[in-house]
């Protein structure tokens, strides 16, 4: 395969709106030592970059901040400290991009880039990772348009960005170019799971893979699907099993499990247990202090208890880096403290951040932005448009709840009634729908307060 020079690659990247100079800037590696958490003790140890093992395709979505509450432990798992793990992740990413620039597909560089960029987006809130992933897919299509692996990686990227129709088309192209069904099955399952298609079949395959392949990469998507179906107790047992079987040193997977258990017990259970959720979020941050979604969810729980200073400390680092949800929730906290001008500045910043993200990755952020505009963003017409766009893309229970809420708020009672009927027809036989607020909704009446009642698990197609 012919390759253009690095200068030309940089030029074409800039043409696509991505600052490739930033990628080049990562090439200087960072060294040093960090504390490794072992129960309640620590030891000093240098961790090589290869110690980071990115977790599965879609479990792969920066801010230094406050410490964890006293007494919170990262269980008894031996994991690399969160700070050194993030540093190693950055080094691994620089190495992967360097390999790609110099050697194209040698050493599996594109695959490593996809895995690590997804981790940065999911855990660290690095939105620029999404732009770089988009650019990588364009580069691969340009230079290796007949390679099946090109379309398999493109499908992974498109699915991660919630462009599911595009991802399915890429999978078809990959199959035509010799990619085996077994290789594309994880991506296909994730797409079907994210869009609510053929869930009974997906569940059967997930159970089989969890038994035959085993490992945390198979248990986590099984647990997530069980949550979507309303099998909450079994889902929690699967999450617990995933932690019990984990033997690696990366803190990312256990942090993810703890975060998901926090969402499960704090937001998805018919009778939420906020204190139990709080403990899981704190455990997630004990593993990975810079875990942005865990900070946001924990801050919300603190704010509801009146612990506004703690909530502010959790949210401030993310807000400073432009994370829209951190800025939105910080605006709410500041308003509660009577700091109206600061709150307004954060709210305007959140609106600007959401608008920028929608311009670049609308389908990936339509649901989050719709919730914002239903609440403090104060634009219910825009919220309804985004919610309907999201529902058309992935008709899940949460998407129906959001669209129904937006229709009610706008006063579109007929649309609300149609959405409720469609949700019952599609999801009425699932436990999740049967215990949902939507199942008890009356046409023309809201199902939940938009700023509090919706769940917001991030970047988890």
């Amino acid at each position: 395969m012919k390759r253009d020079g690095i200068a030309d690659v940089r030029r074409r990247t800039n043409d696509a709106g991505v600052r490739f100079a930033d990628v080049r800037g990562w090439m200087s590696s960072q060294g040093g030592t960090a504390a490794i958490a072992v129960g309640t003790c620590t030891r000093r140890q240098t961790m090589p970059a290869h110690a980071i093992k990115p977790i599965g395709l879609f479990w792969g979505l920066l801010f230094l901040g406050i410490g964890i509450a006293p007494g919170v432990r990262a269980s008894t798992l031996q994991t690399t400290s969160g700070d050194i793990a993030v540093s190693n992740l950055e080094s691994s990413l620089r190495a992967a991009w360097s390999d790609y620039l110099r050697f194209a597909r040698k050493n599996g560089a594109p695959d490593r880039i996809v895995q690590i960029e997804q981790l940065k987006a999911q855990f660290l809130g690095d939105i620029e990772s999404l732009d770089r992933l988009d650019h990588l897919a364009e580069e691969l299509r340009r230079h290796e348009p007949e390679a099946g692996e090109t379309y398999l990686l493109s499908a992974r990227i498109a699915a991660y960005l919630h462009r599911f129709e595009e991802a399915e088309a890429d999978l078809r192209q990959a199959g035509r170019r010799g990619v085996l069904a077994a290789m594309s099955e994880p991506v296909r399952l994730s797409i079907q799971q994210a869009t609510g298609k053929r869930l009974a079949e997906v569940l059967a395959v997930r159970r089989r893979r969890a038994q035959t392949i085993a490992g945390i990469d198979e248990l986590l998507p099984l647990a997530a699907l069980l949550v979507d179906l309303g099998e909450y107790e079994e889902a929690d047992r699967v999450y617990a099993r995933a932690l019990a079987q984990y033997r690696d040193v990366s803190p990312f997977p256990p942090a993810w499990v703890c975060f998901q258990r926090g969402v499960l017990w704090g937001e998805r259970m018919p009778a939420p247990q906020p204190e139990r959720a709080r403990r899981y979020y704190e455990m997630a941050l004990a593993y990975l202090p810079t875990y942005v979604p865990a900070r946001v969810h924990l801050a919300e729980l603190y704010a509801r208890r009146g612990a506004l200073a703690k909530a502010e400390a959790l949210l401030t680092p993310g807000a400073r880096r432009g994370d829209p949800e951190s800025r939105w929730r910080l605006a709410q906290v500041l308003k509660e403290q009577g700091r109206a001008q600061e709150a307004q500045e954060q709210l305007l910043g959140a609106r600007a951040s959401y608008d920028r993200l929608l311009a670049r990755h609308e389908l990936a952020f339509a649901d989050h932005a719709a919730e914002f505009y239903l609440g403090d963003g104060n634009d219910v017409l825009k919220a309804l448009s985004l919610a309907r766009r999201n529902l058309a893309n992935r008709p899940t229970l949460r998407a129906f709840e959001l669209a129904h809420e937006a229709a009610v708020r706008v006063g579109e009672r007929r649309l609300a009634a149609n959405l409720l009927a469609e949700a019952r027809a599609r999801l009425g036989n699932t436990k999740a729908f049967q215990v949902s607020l939507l199942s008890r909704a009356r046409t023309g009446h809201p199902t939940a307060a938009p700023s509090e009642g919706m769940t917001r698990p991030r970047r988890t197609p």
Side-chain angles (χ1 to χ4, degrees), residues 5-62:
I6 290 177
D8 187 50
V9 172
R10 185 188 301 113
R11 175 185 59 76
R12 283 184 281 105
T13 307
N14 286 330
D15 290 343
V18 181
R19 294 186 60 190
F20 206 78
D22 292 341
V23 175
R24 300 282 298 176
W26 298 335
M27 301 310 177
S28 58
S29 179
Q30 298 178 4
T33 62
I36 309 301
V38 185
T40 57
C41 303
T42 60
R43 56 190 171 90
R44 307 295 292 182
Q45 177 174 323
T46 301
M47 294 299 298
H50 69 262
I52 299 299
K53 180 181 179 182
I55 51 182
L57 288 175
F58 295 101
W59 309 104
L61 301 143
L62 68 164

Side-chain angles (χ1 to χ4, degrees), residues 71-321:
V72 176
R73 304 177 183 178
S75 78
T76 58
L77 292 178
Q78 296 186 12
T79 60
T80 307
S81 79
D83 289 341
I84 197 64
V86 170
S87 177
N88 286 342
L89 195 72
E90 296 283 2
S91 297
S92 296
L93 185 59
R94 286 192 293 270
W97 274 109
S98 178
D99 286 349
Y100 175 69
L101 284 173
R102 292 183 296 166
F103 308 119
R105 296 193 66 88
K106 290 183 179 179
N107 301 320
D111 182 73
R112 286 184 286 136
I113 289 171
V114 171
Q115 290 182 346
I116 300 171
E117 293 284 20
Q118 287 180 353
L119 286 176
K120 280 175 62 72
Q122 176 186 338
F123 289 96
L124 309 181
D126 187 349
I127 303 304
E128 299 301 321
S129 287
L130 307 183
D131 296 331
R132 292 190 293 269
L133 285 171
D134 249 350
H135 172 69
L136 177 63
E138 293 172 6
E139 284 285 295
L140 291 172
R141 285 196 187 96
R142 180 179 294 114
H143 292 291
E144 298 188 65
E146 296 306 317
E149 292 81 1
T150 289
Y151 291 93
L152 183 58
L153 280 175
S154 294
R156 289 170 55 185
I157 292 169
Y160 189 74
L161 296 174
H162 293 195
R163 302 198 303 253
F164 300 116
E165 290 185 1
E166 179 184 329
E168 290 175 329
D170 283 335
L171 285 182
R172 289 193 293 271
Q173 291 292 339
R176 294 186 187 115
R177 287 163 174 79
V179 173
L180 298 178
M183 295 294 294
S184 61
E185 184 177 62
V187 188
R188 195 178 308 280
L189 287 172
S190 295
I191 294 170
Q192 292 173 337
Q193 188 167 331
T195 55
K197 296 178 180 177
R198 306 169 68 176
L199 292 184
E201 295 178 26
V202 175
L203 179 60
V205 177
R206 289 290 190 204
R207 290 191 188 280
R208 173 180 58 77
R209 291 177 66 93
Q211 289 295 327
T212 59
I213 303 175
I216 198 167
D217 288 356
E218 300 300 333
L219 291 171
L220 295 188
L222 171 60
L225 178 56
L226 290 168
V227 172
D228 289 342
L229 295 173
E231 303 291 346
Y232 303 122
E233 298 289 349
E234 183 182 359
D236 195 54
R237 291 194 296 271
V238 174
Y239 281 133
R241 177 181 161 198
L243 271 185
Q245 293 182 359
Y246 187 64
R247 295 293 182 269
D248 211 325
V249 297
S250 170
F252 293 96
W256 172 250
V257 173
C258 292
F259 172 69
Q260 286 301 315
R261 295 182 88 177
V263 172
L264 172 60
W265 288 99
E267 300 177 15
R268 303 300 295 270
M269 285 286 190
Q273 298 183 27
E275 282 303 300
R276 187 168 184 174
R278 177 186 62 81
R279 289 194 295 272
Y280 281 125
Y281 292 142
E282 288 177 337
M283 287 175 64
L285 291 174
Y287 283 116
L288 196 65
T290 54
Y291 191 173
V292 175
R295 282 176 163 271
V296 172
H297 283 246
L298 180 58
E300 289 182 74
L301 292 181
Y302 279 147
R304 291 172 193 171
R305 294 168 50 193
L308 299 179
K310 288 184 177 181
E312 181 182 353
L314 282 165
L315 294 167
T316 297
R320 285 175 178 166
R321 299 298 295 268

